[in-house]
Amino acid sequence: MSDTYYEFGTAAERWDRARLFFEAREYGTAVRILRGLVAEHPGQTAQRLLLARAYYHSAQLSRAEAELREILERDPVEHYARLMLGRTLERQGRADEAAPHLRMAAAMAGELPS
């Protein structure tokens, strides 16, 4: 498919399309759509978070990490981004770096240490 298809429509239509591809586990296609949306609206957390999730599920872990760090730089209490960053770091074999993020995400969720 050409890139024209991904650029077609309003931002809302492309957002809906990206979510459909993500839900269908077509993560690469979702990434192609979401990259454009994030470039157009860099301050919108939902689009950037879905892009990070699509990167994570398509094993583009360094890209997922970069998106998650960008979210957390702007909003340090974004619980799901904190959890995802911890999981992304774990998946890269960086458990020591992941641990504080996972502890913080658990605390934000109200989970008590055992």
Side-chain angles (χ1 to χ4, degrees):
M1 283 187 238
S2 72
D3 286 339
T4 305
Y5 170 78
Y6 301 106
E7 297 168 3
F8 178 75
T10 66
E13 290 168 337
R14 289 179 284 144
W15 169 243
D16 288 341
R17 191 177 309 128
R19 290 187 315 172
L20 287 172
F21 278 111
F22 183 87
E23 290 167 10
R25 297 183 177 166
E26 294 289 337
Y27 303 117
T29 304
V31 162
R32 290 177 69 180
I33 298 166
L34 290 162
R35 277 193 309 229
L37 285 171
V38 168
E40 288 174 29
H41 308 282
Q44 292 194 357
T45 300
Q47 294 172 358
R48 194 176 291 273
L49 190 55
L50 190 60
L51 176 59
R53 291 176 64 199
Y55 279 142
Y56 178 88
H57 287 296
S58 61
Q60 298 179 60
L61 300 177
S62 61
R63 289 180 176 170
E65 179 184 350
E67 293 299 331
L68 294 164
R69 289 189 186 279
E70 181 68 30
I71 292 167
L72 291 170
E73 186 174 307
R74 277 189 262 127
D75 186 2
V77 295
E78 170 52 58
H79 166 261
Y80 192 70
R82 183 74 58 190
L83 176 64
M84 273 198 65
L85 178 58
R87 298 262 169 88
T88 300
L89 292 169
E90 272 185 332
R91 195 167 164 196
Q92 294 178 73
R94 296 160 57 191
D96 289 344
E97 289 177 67
H101 296 287
L102 295 172
R103 279 194 304 272
M104 193 176 302
M108 289 175 178
E111 297 173 12
L112 299 174
S114 39

